[in-house]
Amino acid sequence: MLEHDVIIVGGGLAGCRAALEIKQTDPSIDVAIVAKTHPIRSHSVAAQGGMAATLRNVDPEDGWEAHAFDTVKGSDYLADQDAVAILTQEAPDVVIDLEHLGVLFSRLPDGRIAQRAFGGHSHKRTCYAADKTGHAILHELVNNLRRYGVRVYEEWYVLQLILEENTAKGVVMYRILDSSLEVVRAKAVMFATGGYGRVFNTTSNDYASTGDGLAMCAIAGLPLEDMEFVQFHPTGLYPVGVLISEAVRGEGAYLRNSDGKRFMEDYAPNQMELAPRDITSRAITLEIRAGRGIHPDGSPGGTFVHLDLRHMGRESIMLRVPFAWEEAHRHLDIDAVDEPMPVRPTAHYSMGGIPVNTDGQVRRSADSLVEGFFAAGECACVSVHGANRLGSNSLLECVVYGRRTGKTIAGCVQNRKLPNVNAQSYLNAAKERIQSLLNQNGTIRIAKIRQEFQDCMSEHCGVFRTAEIMQEGLKRLRQLQQQYGQIYLDDKDTCWNTELLEALELQNLTIVGETILTSALKRQESRGAHSREDFPNRNDKQFLKHTLAYYSPAGIEIEYMDVSINRFEPKERKY
Ligand SMILES: Cc1cc2nc3c(=O)[nH]c(=O)nc-3n(C[C@H](O)[C@H](O)[C@H](O)COP(=O)(O)OP(=O)(O)OC[C@H]3O[C@@H](n4cnc5c(N)ncnc54)[C@H](O)[C@@H]3O)c2cc1C
C-alpha cells in the first residue's frame, strides 16, 4: 500500500494550486497528485479567454462588490453570497500571486496586466494571456510542482474513493501503463477532477471530462449539488463543438442570423453579444428554431448562426484572439478575417458538483461534513456560479478555492494520523471489477452505447427542457444502463488499454447523466441555465434552494439546501 499525507486527484488548475499551497504552508507535508492524463493535458490547459479580477488597470471604477454583484446576478441569485464575496475579494491577490509564480499575462502599453470585457461583467476586468490563458497558467503551476517536491502519479486512473465511517481514507488507482493496481492511504483526500462535458454529444470539453470524481462520490453515497445546471456555451464551432472563446465577443465580434441581423438586440438590448451565456445560448437556439439559422451553403433554416469578426480587422484578430482564428482555420478552413464562423451552443461547464463549504470541506448533507475529504475546481460546488456561471469566473474559482482548500488541508493534516485501511479487500474488488469487464461476453460496442447515451442527454436535457422530454430521457437512459452488462471489449491487453478506460468512464457518465436528468426534472421552474418550457418563470418561493441529489442504483433521492443570501436581494434579471 502506498501512503502520503495528502492525495489530490486531478492535475488541473484547482489540484495544482492546492498542492502548491500545502507545500508553501508546510514543506514537510508529503503531497501527491494523481491524474489520468499528464497534468499539463488537464482541461484547464484549454481555457482561453481569461480570469476575472478587479485589478482596476483598465477601469478604475471597478471594485470587488461590483464583481460580486455581477456574479450573483449572473447566477440568477442561486450562488452562495458568502462564497462569492471570498471569490471576488481574493481575486486580485491570486492574480498577482500567479504572476509572481511566473505566469505571463498580456500587458497594457504601460506594462500593467491588460483586462478585457466579458459576458455579464459590468466592467473590463478579465486578465488574460492572448486567448491561451489556461495554457499560460497551468504550465507555470506544473513547473512549480516539481520545484516544491510534489509527487506526481501521471496517467493513473482513480477507480474508487475509500470512504469508511464518514471519513475519506484514500483511493484505489489503476496504472494505465501496465494495469497495476494500488491503494493509497492518506490523512486527507482531495478531488479536483474537473467537469463532465462528455455527457453530451456536442461539447467544448476534452475527452477526459467524464465526471469520474462526481460519480465516485455518488457511488460512495455522498450527495451531488445543483446538477441540473449545465452551461451551454453559445459559440461552439459548428459542427465540431470546440470552443470559440467569449473573448472574441469581448473584443467586439457580432452574432448574426440568416438575415444578417445582430439578433441579440431582441434578447439583451443593452449587453447585446456580451449578455450572460444562458441568455445568449437560448437566443441562438430560438433563432434556429424560428428558421433564422443558417445552412452550410448560406441559405436560411439551418442549425447554426454566424459569429462575425470581419470588422475587427486582421491585426486585432491576430493579436488578441489568435487561437480562435486558428481553430476555425484548422477545423473548417475558414479565414475569420474574411468569413464569419458558424457557431451554435455546446455543452461547456458544470455549475453543480460535489458540495463543499468555503474551506473546501465536502458536505455529507446540508448540515454535516465528511472527515478528511476536500474538493475544489469544476468538480466542486461551493457555490459561486449558482444557476449560471459568468465567463472568466471559473479559472478564478479554481485558483481562489484551490488555494483556500490547500490552506485548510495543510492545517487539518497536522492533527491526523494515517488511517487504517484493509488494502487487500479494495484491491480484490478492483481486480474483480476489471476482470469481469474484460471477460464480459457481450455483443455491444462501448462507442455505440456512449453515442446513444450522449444523444439521449443532448436531446432530452439540452438548452430547453420539459417534464415529458426528460421523463422519456430517463427511461431511455435506464435501458442504456441495462445494456452496460452486454458490452464487449476487443482489447484484453494490460498495456495502455484505453478501451477498458472507456468502459469505466462510460459507467461514470451514465451515473452523472442520471443525476442531471433527475435533478432537472424535480426543479419545476426556470432559472439560469435550467430552462423549463413547462415552467417558464423563476419561482423563488419554492426553488430558491440548492438541490442535493443522493444516488443509489435503485434511484435518486432529492433534498434541498438553503442559499446564503447576505448582500444582494433577488431581483428580476435584465441585461
Ligand atoms: C475550451 C474551454 C475553455 C475555457 N475557457 C475558460 C476561460 O477562459 N476562463 C474561465 O474562467 N474558464 C474557462 N473554462 C473553464 C475552466 O477551464 C475549467 O472549469 C477549469 O479549468 C477546470 O479546472 P479543474 O482543475 O477543476 O479541472 P481540469 O483542468 O479539468 O482537471 C481535471 C483533472 O482531473 C484528472 N482526473 C479526472 N478524473 C480522474 C480519474 N478518474 N483518475 C485520475 N485523474 C482524474 C484529470 O486527468 C485532470 O488532471 C474553459 C473550459 C473549456 C473546456
Side-chain angles (χ1 to χ4, degrees), residues 9-15 34-39 41-52 118 133 138 156-159 192-195 204-206 208-210 212-213 216 243 245 277 348-349 376-379 389-396 398 508:
V9 185
L13 243 61
V34 47
K36 65 179 176 177
T37 55
H38 186 284
R41 297 194 61 222
S42 304
H43 187 61
S44 292
V45 85
Q48 300 176 4
M51 175 169 164
F118 240 74
T133 313
L138 191 62
W156 285 76
Y157 183 90
V158 173
L159 290 163
T193 49
S204 66
N205 287 191
D206 71 348
S209 297
T210 51
D212 298 338
M216 283 188 270
L243 188 76
S245 172
R277 292 178 177 170
H348 182 58
Y349 183 81
E378 188 168 340
C379 73
R389 167 174 81 88
L390 295 189
S392 75
N393 265 354
S394 168
L395 293 182
L396 178 63
C398 288
N508 291 335

Side-chain angles (χ1 to χ4, degrees), residues 253-267:
Y254 301 148
L255 284 167
R256 296 186 191 277
N257 64 16
S258 59
D259 302 329
K261 177 179 164 178
R262 285 178 69 191
F263 55 85
M264 284 309 293
E265 71 186 38
D266 297 336
Y267 301 90

Side-chain angles (χ1 to χ4, degrees), residues 473-491:
L474 267 173
K475 213 159 100 195
R476 179 81 196 107
L477 179 60
R478 299 228 169 84
Q479 287 163 354
L480 289 168
Q481 280 169 333
Q482 276 162 15
Q483 289 177 14
Y484 188 78
Q486 296 156 38
I487 56 172
Y488 169 76
L489 275 68
D490 270 329
D491 189 352

Side-chain angles (χ1 to χ4, degrees), residues 2 70 119 137 175 196 239 247 272 393 403 419 440 480 571:
L2 300 170
D70 294 342
I137 301 177
R175 191 175 186 204
Y196 56 60
M272 294 291 288
N393 265 354
R403 185 171 83 158
Q440 212 160 271
L480 289 168
K571 282 196 260 178

Side-chain angles (χ1 to χ4, degrees), residues 435-503:
Q435 208 50 51
S436 76
L437 267 172
L438 292 173
N439 293 348
Q440 212 160 271
N441 226 345
T443 51
I444 309 178
R445 306 305 305 250
I446 296 168
K448 180 170 179 289
I449 302 188
R450 187 175 53 213
Q451 186 64 51
E452 285 179 22
F453 161 72
Q454 290 168 332
D455 288 345
C456 165
M457 288 301 296
S458 298
E459 271 165 43
H460 296 275
C461 212
V463 174
F464 287 104
R465 301 160 175 186
T466 67
E468 198 187 343
I469 290 178
M470 288 188 284
Q471 267 151 357
E472 254 175 57
L474 267 173
K475 213 159 100 195
R476 179 81 196 107
L477 179 60
R478 299 228 169 84
Q479 287 163 354
L480 289 168
Q481 280 169 333
Q482 276 162 15
Q483 289 177 14
Y484 188 78
Q486 296 156 38
I487 56 172
Y488 169 76
L489 275 68
D490 270 329
D491 189 352
K492 315 280 184 200
D493 207 357
T494 51
C495 175
W496 263 93
N497 189 337
T498 48
E499 202 185 17
L500 175 68
L501 290 181
E502 286 177 29

